[in-house]
């Protein structure tokens, strides 16, 4: 069932490549209903001039509508109003939102916030940014806990195409 798959996606590292035929169908339904943002491989076979079943998809993120549907599925009545969803969204940074936020930044861009570094890692794995992420290193001066550092060199052409698709919506 696609809604059960939506619950699965909530805990997945997004963006996520999907190749299982049944999961690709689920992704297609969730995308069509506006619950997720996803790229599905072209289903038009140019060699034979016919349509075929999509064989792969890239799930990019769960939309605000998708998060609202998850809340409904769990039976949460409180906290489903738009203001509380926005408040929750402030605490959990989505990778595509972060990509939009850095779109016009000067590169290379140094990132030290752990939540932002997590987004950089996801965006790097998806091929949306060219970045280097250092392992946790202890600061010599502060003697505090290990601190990661990421340096985003650029947004890749694939990442720019994703931003253009998002702007067209």
């Amino acid at each position: 069932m696609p809604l059960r798959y939506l619950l699965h996606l909530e805990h997945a590292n997004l963006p996520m490549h999907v190749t299982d035929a049944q999961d690709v169908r689920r992704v297609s339904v969730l995308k069509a209903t506006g619950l997720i943002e996803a790229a599905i491989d072209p289903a038009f076979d140019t060699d034979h001039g016919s349509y075929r079943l999509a064989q792969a998809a890239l799930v990019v993120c769960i939309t605000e509508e998708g998060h609202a549907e998850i809340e409904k599925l769990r039976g949460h009545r409180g906290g489903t109003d738009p203001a509380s969803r926005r408040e929750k969204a402030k605490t959990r940074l989505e990778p595509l939102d972060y990509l939009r936020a850095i779109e016009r930044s000067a590169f290379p861009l140094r990132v030290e916030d752990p939540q932002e570094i997590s987004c950089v890692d996801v965006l790097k794995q998806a091929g949306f940014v060219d970045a280097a992420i250092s392992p946790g290193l202890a600061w010599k001066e502060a003697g505090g806990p290990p601190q990661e550092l990421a340096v985003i060199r650029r947004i890749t052409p694939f990442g720019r195409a994703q931003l253009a698709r998002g702007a067209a919506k």
Side-chain angles (χ1 to χ4, degrees):
M1 169 175 225
L3 292 178
R4 196 171 286 158
Y5 193 71
L6 180 64
L7 291 170
H8 164 74
L9 291 174
E10 180 185 29
H11 302 290
N13 277 335
L14 300 179
M16 178 177 84
H17 289 278
V18 178
T19 56
D20 178 73
Q22 189 68 14
D23 290 344
V24 171
R25 280 191 286 273
R26 291 179 180 124
V27 167
S28 179
V29 170
L30 292 170
K31 177 183 178 179
T33 56
L35 300 178
I36 63 170
E37 286 186 27
I40 300 173
D41 79 340
F44 187 75
D45 186 348
T46 54
D47 294 335
H48 300 96
S50 62
Y51 286 92
R52 60 176 172 75
L53 290 175
Q55 296 178 350
L58 175 68
V59 179
V60 179
C61 70
I62 299 172
T63 64
E64 188 171 323
E65 293 83 7
H67 286 293
E69 188 64 31
I70 289 170
E71 291 293 319
K72 278 195 247 177
L73 288 169
R74 292 200 171 121
H76 295 156
R77 298 293 175 238
T80 59
D81 64 304
S84 65
R85 278 200 308 272
R86 278 193 296 276
E87 191 59 37
K88 271 188 186 176
K90 287 180 188 174
T91 61
R92 193 180 83 243
L93 189 59
E94 291 288 336
L96 282 182
D97 293 336
Y98 185 72
L99 184 63
R100 286 183 201 99
I102 65 167
E103 180 177 11
R104 290 184 173 75
S105 296
F107 295 99
L109 178 64
R110 182 183 173 103
V111 181
E112 295 178 7
D113 179 83
Q115 205 174 19
E116 291 179 6
I117 291 172
S118 177
C119 288
V120 171
D121 188 34
V122 170
L123 293 169
K124 179 181 176 183
Q125 289 178 30
F128 292 166
V129 297
D130 178 16
I133 302 173
S134 71
L137 303 170
W139 293 117
K140 291 180 183 173
E141 301 135 14
Q147 181 73 32
E148 281 186 306
L149 171 69
V151 177
I152 303 171
R153 294 181 197 99
R154 68 186 178 110
I155 297 175
T156 65
F158 187 55
R160 296 276 178 202
Q162 177 62 37
L163 287 167
R165 279 192 298 273
K169 290 182 182 179

